[in-house]
Amino acid sequence: MAGNTGHPFETGLDKNRANFAALTPPSFLARAAVSFGASVAVIDDERRITYAELYDRCRRLASALARRGIGRLETVAILAPNIPEMIEAHFAVPMLGAVLNPLNTRLDAATLAFSLRHGEAKVLIVDRDFAPLVAQVLALLDEQPLLVEVPAPAAGPAILEAIGYEDLLHEGDPSYDWPGPDDEWQSLCLLYTSGTTGDPKGAVYSHRGAYLQALGNAVTFGVNRESVYLWTLPMFHCSGWSYPWAMVAAGGTQVCLRKVEPARIFRLIAEHGVTHLCGAPILLSMLVHAPAQDRVPFPQTVRCATGGAAPTSTILRAMESMGFSVTHLYGATETYGPGTASVAVDAWADLTEAERYERMARQGVSLTTVEELAVVDPSALAPIPQDGRTIGEIAMRGNTVMKGYLKNPDATARTLTGGWYLSGDLAVWHPDGAVEIKDRAKDIIISGGENISSLEVEEVLSRHPAVMLAAVVARPDVTWGETPCAFLELKPSGPGATEAEIVAFCREHLARFKVPRTIVFGPLPKTATGKIQKFVLREQAQAIEPAAKA
């Protein structure tokens, strides 16, 4: 500040290379290669990559891209499953000062083409498994990026006009003196949100934000040198919640996984002594409902972090019985993934099982590296009372909130306003500081003037022995305005259920006005990360003829 000019604490105490460095995630890898270079950093089937080898490969990739003309703030996209090359891209591209754009592997060609055009990708690294999809994408582009192909087991023909990934690495210098960012606020990653309407929005991360988010996750999730992390969360989702960087910061081991299959997950947990994994609630459901023949016993307790909808008490109980300790997280693409965690405290030891599960299902308190978490009145942006009853909107601010949306100042201004990131999630704020989501603003059902939380109804439905997944949205009603409409995916080998049985079960556990008036059975639509697509269900519910007057 100008008022400090000439002050002894500001004079002659300048920043220089000895006392200041821009925070950037590649520095984690540089340290790890020096400190424990012979340790295994990455496991991919029979392949083992040490920290020294990982650093060598990342420097080669950064050098090769630089020699091919890729420079500061130019975009390098990657379309690949959870393979070592995805981890390498998360270090090599930032080393160069370029911007990494991990692409959702489950999107259609038109959406991927939009992302590549909007982000102005100069390079597309692609796994050969996605060759047919990439051919469709390229046909929609006027300007073609440099194609780099990663071989895949049992994949089809090679991608035409693509350079092989390993051939590109051979062009690079393992001693490359990588420049990194000019400033830690420099853009590092471009992550597109899976918007429900219109084009996706590209959230932009900074080097500083990614560095701090990695450390915040490491502290919250308790990863260290002995930790073994299994990649059950897609790395394209919020850059894997920053765990490619967090695990390297801790010096642990990452186990790659091309496809999420319960049998393989159980086998890898037992084989490699996995200690940590992350995933959407659908992952927990898959593990809980895996056939007995797919399960492999393991002696260690595996810490499992999950985001999205709060785990139900049924899921939590089943996961604990199998040897998993579940932590519920909350966040968004705009907050580098997790911004809060339901952290257990000593007082929980005195709770009943039901009370403990209720606390575990809350969104919890902020990560160490989040500057401030609050639940605010969205009109005044003032914090609401911490009484566990008043409803407001979850807001956050700090270094781990995105810089904004690429080329979308209007959306940026709506989301980052009044000094807060506004989430759109409605919650209460408890006296102990924990936040608890009651619904998305658009998911609250208003029936006859009464607010109904879809999450509350879903929790009850999930307790029914036949229900595997439940989602509740509003359906038009000529009398009440809206009533709950429940979409249910039943367990494949469960007892089955009728609409009458489901309604009767709900009446035992809910106020009558909260009981769903419509039950729809069948598979639920899901995003690439396993989240239930409520916007699809809302459209389906809207298409149902309004219920007649009672």
Side-chain angles (χ1 to χ4, degrees), residues 333-413:
T333 303
E334 291 83 353
T335 60
Y336 296 66
T340 75
S342 186
V343 180
V345 296
D346 293 343
W348 288 13
D350 299 325
L351 300 176
T352 66
E353 183 183 75
E355 290 171 333
R356 183 169 64 86
Y357 287 148
E358 185 273 330
R359 300 294 175 88
M360 290 173 67
R362 292 177 182 174
Q363 283 59 47
V365 297
S366 68
L367 267 63
T368 306
T369 44
V370 171
E371 186 66 20
E372 189 172 359
L373 166 73
V375 183
V376 302
D377 176 343
S379 60
L381 298 183
I384 65 169
Q386 289 184 231
D387 57 12
R389 297 188 305 274
T390 306
I391 291 181
E393 184 173 353
I394 293 180
M396 283 184 263
R397 58 177 160 217
N399 297 291
T400 55
V401 169
M402 67 169 183
K403 295 175 67 171
Y405 297 117
L406 180 68
K407 303 177 186 175
N408 198 335
D410 291 341
T412 299

Side-chain angles (χ1 to χ4, degrees), residues 2 35 39 66 120 151 162 267 272 304 379 416 432 441 445 534 544:
S35 302
S39 298
E120 301 180 34
R267 181 177 66 78
H272 299 300
C304 173
S379 60
L416 306 182
D432 62 2
I445 302 165
K534 279 199 170 181
I544 299 172

Side-chain angles (χ1 to χ4, degrees), residues 488-512:
L488 303 179
E489 188 170 325
L490 301 182
K491 298 174 183 176
S493 56
T498 65
E499 180 175 346
E501 289 170 344
I502 294 293
V503 170
F505 180 82
C506 288
R507 284 178 175 168
E508 294 178 12
H509 302 282
L510 289 168
R512 196 173 186 87

Side-chain angles (χ1 to χ4, degrees), residues 44-93:
D44 182 37
D45 290 330
E46 301 304 315
R47 185 181 178 195
R48 303 291 185 274
I49 302 174
T50 67
Y51 271 105
E53 292 166 339
L54 182 62
Y55 191 38
D56 176 286
R57 290 175 61 82
C58 291
R59 293 170 86 180
R60 284 182 181 275
L61 178 55
S63 170
L65 290 172
R67 290 177 177 181
R68 285 185 171 258
I70 305 304
R72 178 179 177 273
L73 294 178
E74 292 191 305
T75 304
V76 177
I78 182 167
L79 184 70
N82 289 347
I83 55 178
E85 290 78 7
M86 273 288 272
I87 298 172
E88 291 168 2
H90 274 83
F91 287 93
V93 176

Side-chain angles (χ1 to χ4, degrees), residues 528-539:
T529 55
K531 294 181 181 178
I532 296 170
Q533 294 177 307
K534 279 199 170 181
F535 74 96
V536 174
L537 300 180
R538 278 192 292 271
E539 291 173 357

